[in-house]
Amino acid sequence: MARFLVLRLGLIVLTLFVISLAIFAVTEVLPGDVATQILGQGATPENVATLRERLGLNDPWPVRYLGWVGGAIRGDLGESLVQRLPITEMVGPRLFNSMILASFTFFVAIPIAVAVGIWAGVHRNSFGDRVASMTSLAAISLPEFVTGVVLIIIFSTTLGWLPSSSLVEPGTNPLTRPQILVLPALTLTGVMFAYVMRMARANVIEVLETNYVRSAVLKGIPMRSVIWRHVVPNAMLPTISVISLNVGWLLGGLIVVENVFSYPGLGRLLLTSIQTRDMPLLQSLSLLIAAVYAISNLLADLTYTWLNPRIRFA
Amino acid sequence: MTTINLNGAAPSVDESHVEETGHAPLLEVRDLSVTFHTPRGSVRAVRHASFTVHRGEVLGLVGESGCGKSTVAFATMRYLPTTAEVGGEIRFEGRDLNSMSSAELQSIRGDRIAMVYQDPGSALNPSIRVGLQIEEVLHAHRSMSRQEAQERVAELFESVGLPNPARIGQRYPHELSGGQQQRVVIAMALACEPDLLLMDEPTTGLDVTTEATILDLISELKDRVNAGIIFVSHNLGVIARVADRVAVMYAGQVIEEAPVRDLFSNPSHPYTAGLLSCVPAPVTGDGAVPLLRNIPGSVYPASAPNVDACLFADRCPIVQDICREQAPPEIVGASEGHPARCFFPERVNASIWGDPEPRRRRRREVGGTPLLSVDALHQYYGTDRKKFIFFGPPARRPVRANVDVDFEIGAGRTLGIVGESGSGKSTAARSIAGLERRTSGEVLLEGEPLARDVADRTDDQRAKIRMVFQNPAASLNPQLPIGHALVRSIRQARGLGRREARRNARALLDAVGLGGEYMERRPRELSGGQQQRVALAAAFAADPDLVIADEAVSALDVSVQAQVLNLITARQQREGTAFMFITHDLGVVRYISDDILVMYGGYVVETGPAETVLAPPWSPYTEALLSAAPIPDPDAEPSRIRLEGAVPTLRQPFKGCPFADRCPRNLGDLCDNTPPPMRVDPANEHHKILCHIPLEELAIEQRKAIETREKLVRR
Amino acid sequence: MATATIDQNQPSPLSEAARTGRRFLRSIRRELRYAMATTSGRIGLPLVTFYILLALVGPWLAPYSPTEFHLADRFAGPSTTYFLGTDEFGRDIFSRVLSGATSIIGVSVAGTVLGLLLGTLVGLTMGYVGGKVDEIVMRLMDGLMSFPSLLLALLVLTTLGSSHINIVITIGVVFMPSVARVLRSATLSIKTMEFVQSARIRGEPALYIVFREILPNTMPVLTVEASVRLSYAILLASSLGFLGLGVQPPSSDWGLMISEGRSHIADSPLIVLSPAFAVSTLVIGVNLLAEGLREARELPKED
């Protein structure tokens, strides 16, 4: 187990290293001079040169890369070019806001989705199952921005129950105004919910057809026990690994949803950094999101290993 | 696409039975039919099955694949997909199972009727400790405290012969060997002392030596528990060993039912007689082997409708007009208690399938270069995988699949290689074929060394060695017409033009009895036996000197197996092709081999001309293997040599003899710690045995064992 | 002598390529036919066909140019003149949706095909070759996959700049690793099958084995993967459009139309709802088709 953990952690470090290199390379080949962009087209060459010097843009790339990564490891992500603020400070509250949104989906929606999936799988081909299957197929087919906009039209423009944008005053906690969280959370949930439900259902159906479930039924134990002791535990293993694979999808959804509702999270900040060509900010955010992704994958893997006796004792 | 009928809600059933009267047998099946309705038409898995089972007896249900025998077992459990339509009645102690509510069924399943399955590995839940899986049964049907249940489980484990019964329940299924898993499943079935026990191919897929111990357990159980047992199997040898009465199934019908001795000595249905004559028989005294007969044609398909005729008519050697005009009545008894679904049971005997021609084994030629010689072949796996993926020490100990394997194959001869799974026999075949790169050792073809990888060999060398595999369905590319592989092979090996090659390919198909029109068919349109014949034709296409057949008949039904074996012997007689025939089936190896090689744990433990290997002195492993093989003769007294434990994993190098820890003749320290010598039989210099015990001593001991057994039989 | 006969009968590479192409189309057609045996396939395939036809002929069906301003008719409601009304500049929404179909379907299909090509090539070769090279390449693919695809796409597009061809490349790159994974595992299991071993023993060259023996047997997996990928591609491309990194104005893009129309939801919801409906039904169609293809694999096959 310890060896496994060390190996996995090592792999994460390796992955993040490769990703950081990739991010750095991608953003460095970007056409256009950052200093010129900051100062505007009318800047004098001297001013540009001074700024380049101050930003360290004249150093060779390995030096700049090491400076960036070294800083990132110490928790110093540098300074935003546009807003001139330390990136760590800018990211902190945004990360918190995004986490609120994501954790709702993760801890509320996914368990419900799994439950619905199990129910649908056990009652395969029943009316309820057909409804659940069709709805979920529609739900995974709707892009987040469509769901979001449709929800706005229904609950905000038409019914006027909820606000259409989810702006948060800087320095305040979105949890103090929970009504602004409802629509973004619902939107983000839609696709994940449907996807997880479908996976849980498919896995339950697969397990139901195994020989050991047949043995369980023919042992004469009540159906309830067959489902809860034999089917569900074995169906959960593959479902968990699918969920972990889809954390990336959740993060992508976050980017879109935050922009639909102007919610001040990492995704919104990321798009702003792209629009304003704020390279240090873009680099740091990308690395951060990749790190979050890698860590959540590790957690999912650990859960999987812990639940699976075959790996645990191998 | 089918849904399993979990809650057991009744599938459509004919409600025409009358209330039962008087003394009822334990199980009475009348006119049972099971039809699966699929989007692509109806499949009649069971057309007409009637039989009874009494307490304390074992009814063997035997037939080839697709005859409906397993469906009968599951219908008795009322466990069928919702697409199944069930007709007829299944009366358990007089009550019709088909009309029971799901609650009644639940209380009967596992308590009064229990089942043992094929493939125990998949029948146990991988994530629950095996002890708990049995406790579940007890909790469902008996009110018992946790403590009592655990004690009962330990008791059950003890009674099925599992080691360390008090603790083994803590294990997960994957921590047990196949034989132990099956013992757990049997213990699970016995938990509530059921009245009826259904065993569906319980030893299929297990190694011969494991199968023998499980069969011992079952024969012992049948005396101990007062239950009726239905034992489903395709293997006549296994049936002969455990059954009291036998019902033979063909195309969804029970076509004959008889006490086991009656059935084997006096079959009353042509199909039964045919089946019996397809099984390779023991060798006669002078070493001549009777040629196998086979049943022509193929089984009446389950997708075909019920007709008013005998379903076996098209394949029957004694068919008359009446057989095609009306269905034979259910009971035309040859004698009391021996019904057969045939108009002419009295005409049935072994010779209706032709008289067996003896086939002589080829004598070994003296001198000359052997066709193939293998010298000190080693094959280790997993040496390249490192602890940290690319560097560091090896991640695991290598699997030593072949250690120091030596043998020769003479031109035109057949070498049979036997051994259980994990003995390294298939690995040796793949190394020689060049599919695996051997770790070390020499392989010489007509004295010329062969490259490790088949891709590095010359065209000429490749043309001389061809291979046929176990799984006929996977032997042909499902996306390509059948002629493709043949044409490619002919052109590759003989450099013929496309048209010429096609003509040749047609001739080859003709030679395996399929005809040129098969050229354009897809593999899935063919039956397993036909597919395997095409695979053989493809192997013959290059005019090879050596064909390696890796378990080539193991997946086939006996009647089809005989066809394929006969094709091989015919080819050998005509073209002088040599064969390397790998199998776990001793009957087959006995039938086909000129020389035999026995492998265990990656080592060659015995080798020599067939008649010397089949007679004492044997290596202790060969002796155990021979005594474990089920013989299709109810009067054969099973010999008592049984192996404990499981086949070694091959990761740990052996300190002494590879067979030491399971060997019934283990001498102790010497065998455990010193590698044994390869001893040469003074009677025949080609006969060699890997053993510490001097061969004279072995021979004396083993002869003595045979004599005691024969005395037992006579008494 | 033998060599001469072979050469004589060896078909030209051109006709061989044509035959491979025909076989490929035939096997796609077969998979689609199987899918039509399922309910999902029977709804999905016609829906997808409809949209693909729309993408091909849409621009000719449009009553107006998608970029033409009708400033007098801004925010017009649905009428016989403007089927679905007009937007803030008086552009005809119906025409814009039609022309949007061409761009999004074109981009998604091309991106999917590129991703499939790259992924298939990588997956097949790595699966067949195995060993260290396979290990290294697949680790790289894992690295690429361990990056949320939308983020990767955003990064690539920010670097390359937004254009049709760049979006296609982006989708291709983003999809390559997962297609490679699927194809590799399919190849690994087919590689061990006996007919491949027989081909090796016959002495067939590796290229022949990979493309003639293995590739056709991955078709069921490949078609399912293709349809799943297509639906992701449409979602990805339209999301990029919504975020302003898709097709650049003034040409019409469903995602962008929704993004721009958001500020006028109250006045004219059709500006947003029309492209939203279009993209949703399109993806539903593709997903149904994928479902049908998947279900069809479980049905017994008959020729």
Side-chain angles (χ1 to χ4, degrees):
Chain A
M1 193 69 204
R3 203 182 87 86
F4 173 76
L5 203 67
V6 170
L7 213 73
R8 282 306 314 256
L9 281 174
L11 213 63
I12 284 195
V13 172
L14 198 75
T15 311
L16 286 181
F17 169 70
V18 172
I19 287 178
S20 67
L21 262 182
I23 293 170
F24 191 75
V26 162
T27 45
E28 287 297 303
V29 281
L30 197 74
D33 182 64
V34 178
T36 322
Q37 272 185 14
I38 294 172
L39 296 173
Q41 292 300 326
T44 62
E46 294 82 54
N47 285 350
V48 172
T50 333
L51 186 65
R52 286 186 64 88
E53 187 63 37
R54 200 172 66 75
L55 294 174
L57 292 176
N58 291 331
D59 294 336
W61 71 265
V63 176
R64 280 180 288 144
Y65 172 74
L66 286 180
W68 174 57
V69 167
I73 292 170
R74 289 193 310 275
D76 171 17
L77 293 168
E79 193 176 87
S80 151
L81 281 186
V82 179
Q83 304 201 28
R84 301 297 174 82
L85 290 168
I87 292 173
T88 319
E89 271 174 40
M90 293 171 66
V91 165
R94 303 287 193 125
L95 181 63
F96 176 75
N97 291 351
S98 289
M99 290 294 246
I100 289 176
L101 210 51
S103 48
F104 173 80
T105 301
F106 215 80
F107 295 109
V108 180
I110 289 186
I112 300 176
V114 168
V116 175
I118 292 172
W119 184 89
V122 171
H123 298 93
R124 186 183 184 185
N125 291 335
S126 67
F127 179 72
D129 172 43
R130 280 171 207 272
V131 170
S133 295
M134 280 190 309
T135 327
S136 65
L137 188 102
I140 57 165
S141 304
L142 299 187
E144 286 89 353
F145 60 90
V146 168
T147 326
V149 168
V150 170
L151 286 179
I152 288 176
I153 292 177
I154 298 173
F155 290 103
S156 180
T157 343
T158 314
L159 297 171
W161 291 352
L162 294 161
S164 68
S165 92
S166 307
L167 286 168
V168 178
E169 293 289 313
T172 61
N173 185 335
L175 289 175
T176 54
R177 287 181 62 214
Q179 68 270 30
I180 64 162
L181 285 172
V182 177
L183 289 186
L186 270 182
T187 311
L188 190 59
T189 301
V191 174
M192 265 308 259
F193 187 94
Y195 197 83
V196 170
M197 190 229 109
R198 290 172 73 79
M199 278 304 135
R201 174 182 180 272
N203 290 324
V204 162
I205 288 173
E206 200 166 296
V207 174
L208 277 173
E209 282 167 4
T210 59
N211 285 349
Y212 58 82
V213 168
R214 181 184 68 192
S215 329
V217 173
L218 295 186
K219 277 195 257 186
I221 60 179
M223 233 14 240
R224 217 179 37 250
S225 317
V226 174
I227 301 297
W228 287 108
R229 293 173 53 94
H230 292 271
V231 178
V232 172
N234 287 298
M236 281 311 96
L237 282 175
T239 311
I240 287 169
S241 67
V242 163
I243 292 173
S244 81
L245 276 177
N246 282 278
V247 172
W249 189 259
L250 184 70
L251 291 172
L254 209 56
I255 299 175
V256 177
V257 169
E258 288 180 2
N259 282 295
V260 172
F261 294 96
S262 311
Y263 181 76
L266 287 184
R268 181 96 194 95
L269 193 59
L270 182 83
L271 199 67
T272 317
S273 74
I274 289 174
Q275 284 159 350
T276 57
R277 310 228 136 210
D278 191 340
M279 281 311 128
L281 186 57
L282 178 57
Q283 288 173 342
S284 304
L285 285 172
S286 306
L287 191 61
L288 187 70
I289 294 178
V292 169
Y293 187 35
I295 290 167
S296 50
N297 268 340
L298 174 70
L299 288 178
D301 259 21
L302 288 180
T303 329
Y304 186 89
T305 314
W306 180 67
L307 285 175
N308 189 345
R310 235 178 299 194
I311 301 181
R312 209 188 323 158
F313 295 106
Chain B
M1 276 325 304
T2 50
T3 321
I4 293 299
N5 187 2
L6 282 171
N7 46 21
S12 37
V13 165
D14 293 337
E15 293 271 357
S16 56
H17 63 87
V18 276
E19 277 309 299
E20 75 109 2
T21 45
H23 194 71
L26 181 64
L27 183 79
E28 190 174 11
V29 173
R30 279 284 151 257
D31 286 335
L32 178 69
S33 67
V34 180
T35 306
F36 299 107
H37 296 287
T38 75
R40 300 196 190 265
S42 298
V43 177
R44 292 177 170 78
V46 180
R47 294 172 195 269
H48 192 108
S50 299
F51 57 86
T52 50
V53 184
H54 300 277
R55 248 175 221 288
E57 76 166 353
V58 179
L59 175 77
L61 205 54
V62 70
E64 297 183 286
S65 50
C67 71
K69 55 192 188 301
S70 288
T71 311
V72 168
F74 283 104
T76 309
M77 268 292 195
R78 272 281 303 280
Y79 190 82
L80 292 171
T82 41
T83 54
E85 184 192 323
V86 181
E89 44 187 85
I90 304 171
R91 298 176 150 264
F92 175 66
E93 293 186 323
R95 298 158 66 205
D96 191 357
L97 283 167
N98 282 339
S99 53
M100 276 188 197
S101 72
S102 27
E104 276 176 292
L105 271 178
Q106 190 186 309
S107 72
I108 284 183
R109 287 171 174 170
D111 185 11
R112 314 287 314 280
I113 308 179
M115 190 155 179
V116 175
Y117 315 87
Q118 181 175 0
D119 190 10
S122 74
L124 293 167
N125 188 326
S127 58
I128 302 182
R129 295 174 199 275
V130 293
L132 269 174
Q133 297 193 43
I134 299 182
E135 281 178 48
E136 263 185 343
V137 193
L138 295 167
H139 288 306
H141 301 292
R142 302 276 183 279
S143 47
M144 259 190 200
S145 71
R146 188 78 210 276
Q147 175 87 38
E148 285 170 323
Q150 275 170 348
E151 278 162 18
R152 171 78 180 134
V153 169
E155 210 178 289
L156 284 163
F157 281 154
E158 175 134 41
S159 75
V160 296
L162 278 167
N164 204 349
R167 303 272 303 283
I168 201 164
Q170 294 296 309
R171 306 264 194 101
Y172 286 95
H174 71 273
E175 299 172 294
L176 304 175
S177 70
Q180 289 175 327
Q181 287 171 344
Q182 193 58 294
R183 283 170 195 270
V184 169
V185 173
I186 292 174
M188 196 155 86
L190 295 177
C192 294
E193 297 169 326
D195 301 299
L196 179 64
L197 204 50
L198 303 169
M199 299 190 147
D200 182 24
E201 303 263 10
T203 60
T204 307
L206 300 177
D207 276 320
V208 199
T209 54
T210 315
E211 174 176 68
T213 57
I214 297 285
L215 290 178
D216 285 346
L217 172 66
I218 292 170
S219 326
E220 182 222 332
L221 281 177
K222 107 182 167 193
D223 301 331
R224 204 169 60 201
V225 300
N226 184 28
I229 299 178
I230 298 181
F231 191 99
V232 178
S233 179
H234 70 283
N235 187 329
L236 288 163
V238 169
I239 290 284
R241 173 100 167 70
V242 295
D244 299 314
R245 272 190 312 126
V246 184
V248 183
M249 287 191 72
Y250 179 82
Q253 299 179 325
V254 171
I255 51 118
E256 179 168 4
E257 190 196 318
V260 66
R261 282 194 173 72
D262 250 14
L263 187 97
F264 279 85
S265 61
N266 181 26
S268 294
H269 193 285
Y271 175 67
T272 315
L275 271 188
L276 289 170
S277 67
C278 287
V279 182
V283 203
T284 49
D286 58 350
V289 189
L291 197 63
L292 289 182
R293 288 149 297 181
N294 62 59
I295 303 175
S298 48
V299 177
Y300 189 78
S303 54
N306 292 326
V307 289
D308 220 12
C310 174
L311 299 185
F312 190 64
D314 286 342
R315 306 175 76 187
C316 184
I318 55 165
V319 63
Q320 304 290 320
D321 288 343
I322 186 174
C323 306
R324 302 187 198 276
E325 285 155 9
Q326 66 187 87
E330 185 185 344
I331 298 186
V332 182
S335 59
E336 193 67 25
H338 186 157
R341 194 176 274 273
C342 179
F343 288 111
F344 311 104
E346 67 286 347
R347 294 192 201 170
V348 175
N349 58 52
S351 62
I352 60 168
W353 291 98
D355 281 314
E357 305 164 40
R359 181 180 73 87
R360 295 220 156 257
R361 293 187 202 281
R362 269 163 297 277
R363 294 274 153 225
R364 183 179 282 259
E365 277 168 47
V366 189
T369 335
L371 175 64
L372 183 87
S373 77
V374 176
D375 188 21
L377 174 68
H378 287 74
Q379 178 80 60
Y380 294 178
Y381 290 115
T383 43
D384 53 340
R385 196 164 176 96
K386 301 292 191 288
K387 192 159 188 171
F388 302 104
I389 300 166
F390 296 119
F391 51 89
R396 307 183 72 171
R397 256 182 235 276
V399 170
R400 302 150 70 92
N402 279 171
V403 184
D404 203 11
V405 171
D406 288 316
F407 63 85
E408 289 176 357
I409 301 177
R413 294 176 69 84
T414 299
L415 172 73
I417 302 188
V418 264
E420 296 175 284
S421 55
S423 63
K425 55 190 192 304
S426 287
T427 306
R430 296 172 58 82
S431 296
I432 292 162
L435 294 173
E436 307 281 354
R437 299 170 65 92
R438 59 183 182 271
T439 312
S440 67
E442 280 289 327
V443 178
L444 303 175
L445 182 69
E446 293 173 327
E448 296 290 314
L450 282 179
R452 292 177 182 200
D453 195 318
V454 66
D456 300 332
R457 297 180 182 171
T458 67
D459 282 344
D460 191 42
Q461 287 173 330
R462 274 197 292 256
K464 284 183 176 157
I465 303 183
R466 286 292 143 109
M467 195 160 171
V468 182
F469 300 90
Q470 172 168 12
N471 182 357
S475 294
L476 302 165
N477 191 331
Q479 301 289 331
L480 297 171
I482 279 159
H484 180 83
L486 273 78
V487 172
R488 283 300 288 198
S489 207
I490 293 167
R491 300 186 61 191
Q492 205 90 21
R494 296 195 253 157
L496 295 179
R498 192 180 282 270
R499 192 167 308 157
E500 186 71 9
R502 287 190 68 85
R503 196 162 37 238
N504 266 293
R506 273 204 200 87
L508 278 165
L509 284 176
D510 268 337
V512 296
L514 284 177
E517 72 271 19
Y518 279 84
M519 287 286 283
E520 296 307 319
R521 302 243 179 118
R522 299 277 158 166
R524 66 166 163 275
E525 298 168 53
L526 271 60
S527 69
Q530 291 175 325
Q531 287 169 344
Q532 199 64 313
R533 283 190 270 163
V534 174
L536 268 182
F540 297 155
D543 252 337
D545 292 336
L546 173 67
V547 174
I548 302 173
D550 186 4
E551 300 274 12
V553 297
S554 309
L556 304 177
D557 280 319
V558 274
S559 64
V560 184
Q561 174 180 312
Q563 292 171 357
V564 174
L565 288 176
N566 287 344
L567 273 177
I568 288 176
T569 41
R571 170 86 190 184
Q572 189 162 44
Q573 235 116 44
R574 216 174 43 244
E575 311 280 340
T577 313
F579 282 84
M580 179 170 151
F581 202 94
I582 291 142
T583 180
H584 66 276
D585 186 331
L586 279 157
V588 169
V589 89
R590 191 185 270 144
Y591 171 71
I592 203 153
S593 312
D594 300 314
D595 302 298
I596 295 178
L597 183 83
V598 185
M599 290 191 71
Y600 184 83
Y603 288 79
V604 174
V605 296
E606 180 166 0
T607 170
E611 60 280 6
T612 63
V613 174
L614 293 170
W618 292 303
S619 92
Y621 176 66
T622 314
E623 185 186 12
L625 207 55
L626 285 168
S627 77
I631 303 163
D633 174 3
D635 291 319
E637 173 67 20
S639 55
R640 281 281 147 200
I641 299 170
R642 291 294 180 256
L643 299 184
E644 298 296 320
V647 179
T649 58
L650 307 183
R651 283 198 191 278
Q652 200 78 38
F654 299 104
K655 249 166 124 187
C657 175
F659 189 50
D661 59 334
R662 299 175 75 196
C663 183
R665 300 191 183 275
N666 187 321
L667 299 175
D669 184 54
L670 180 66
C671 291
D672 289 337
N673 296 313
T674 316
M678 188 58 104
R679 296 184 184 273
V680 178
D681 187 351
N684 186 325
E685 53 162 336
H686 297 295
H687 184 209
K688 295 173 193 159
I689 292 175
L690 188 75
C691 193
H692 279 296
I693 308 173
L695 301 191
E696 301 74 32
E697 233 173 275
L698 265 179
I700 293 166
E701 290 290 319
Q702 289 164 339
R703 289 224 173 79
K704 223 188 287 169
I706 298 175
E707 276 162 27
T708 7
R709 205 162 59 236
E710 276 169 359
K711 258 181 239 152
L712 264 172
V713 176
R714 252 173 279 142
R715 239 192 287 143
Chain C
M1 176 219 96
T3 12
T5 4
I6 289 179
D7 288 343
Q8 214 173 27
N9 286 280
Q10 210 62 257
S12 76
L14 212 68
S15 73
E16 186 60 39
R19 252 195 309 164
T20 313
R22 268 205 305 278
R23 266 200 306 267
F24 185 70
L25 286 180
R26 234 194 347 255
S27 50
I28 289 182
R29 219 166 41 219
R30 189 177 59 226
E31 295 297 328
L32 290 178
R33 201 174 61 232
Y34 290 151
M36 280 303 277
T38 67
T39 319
S40 313
R42 269 198 292 271
I43 307 171
L45 188 57
L47 206 55
V48 173
T49 318
F50 167 74
Y51 271 104
I52 288 179
L53 285 178
L54 206 63
L56 292 175
V57 301
W60 286 278
L61 290 181
Y64 304 95
S65 153
T67 51
E68 188 186 338
F69 290 6
H70 305 271
L71 291 173
D73 298 321
R74 298 173 64 217
F75 297 120
S79 65
T80 43
T81 342
Y82 305 108
F83 243 12
L84 296 169
T86 60
D87 67 6
E88 53 182 316
F89 301 111
R91 293 175 296 197
D92 178 42
I93 295 175
F94 181 62
S95 304
R96 285 180 70 73
V97 170
L98 279 186
S99 80
T102 312
S103 89
I104 193 152
I105 292 175
V107 162
S108 310
V109 169
T112 308
V113 168
L114 181 66
L116 286 171
L117 272 179
L118 294 175
T120 306
L121 222 56
V122 173
L124 269 181
T125 17
M126 291 308 124
Y128 189 72
V129 173
K132 294 261 144 84
V133 189
D134 170 45
E135 193 112 30
I136 293 170
V137 172
M138 289 325 281
R139 284 271 165 241
L140 278 178
M141 293 286 139
D142 281 352
L144 264 180
M145 270 215 284
S146 67
F147 212 66
S149 50
L150 186 63
L151 185 56
L152 185 58
L154 284 175
L155 276 180
V156 176
L157 279 185
T158 322
T159 316
L160 297 178
S162 228
S163 73
H164 274 137
I165 190 76
N166 287 349
I167 297 176
V168 169
I169 293 173
T170 305
I171 295 177
V173 170
V174 170
F175 283 1
M176 177 178 65
S178 44
V179 177
R181 274 241 152 265
V182 171
L183 255 288
R184 176 175 174 270
S185 73
T187 307
L188 280 180
S189 69
I190 295 169
K191 182 173 90 166
T192 60
M193 288 177 84
E194 286 83 344
F195 63 85
V196 176
Q197 315 277 357
S198 298
R200 283 178 63 199
I201 290 178
R202 286 208 299 267
E204 302 284 6
L207 274 181
Y208 171 90
I209 294 179
V210 168
F211 288 101
R212 194 77 169 89
E213 301 273 355
I214 296 180
L215 183 61
N217 284 290
T218 63
M219 278 315 285
V221 189
L222 201 58
T223 41
V224 171
E225 185 66 12
S227 53
V228 170
R229 286 294 134 200
L230 182 59
S231 82
Y232 283 150
I234 299 165
L235 290 177
L236 188 59
S238 61
S239 294
L240 287 172
F242 177 80
L243 294 176
L245 279 158
V247 180
Q248 295 304 302
S251 66
S252 61
D253 176 280
W254 292 347
L256 195 62
M257 283 172 78
I258 294 173
S259 175
E260 287 171 350
R262 271 190 300 165
S263 18
H264 311 291
I265 282 180
D267 311 315
S268 177
L270 272 184
I271 303 177
V272 165
L273 287 179
S274 312
F277 178 79
V279 69
S280 309
T281 45
L282 172 58
V283 184
I284 288 178
V286 177
N287 277 329
L288 279 171
L289 177 60
E291 185 100 335
L293 286 166
R294 206 176 298 136
E295 280 173 30
R297 289 175 57 190
E298 293 167 13
L299 288 179
K301 299 274 162 16
E302 266 167 39
D303 255 358

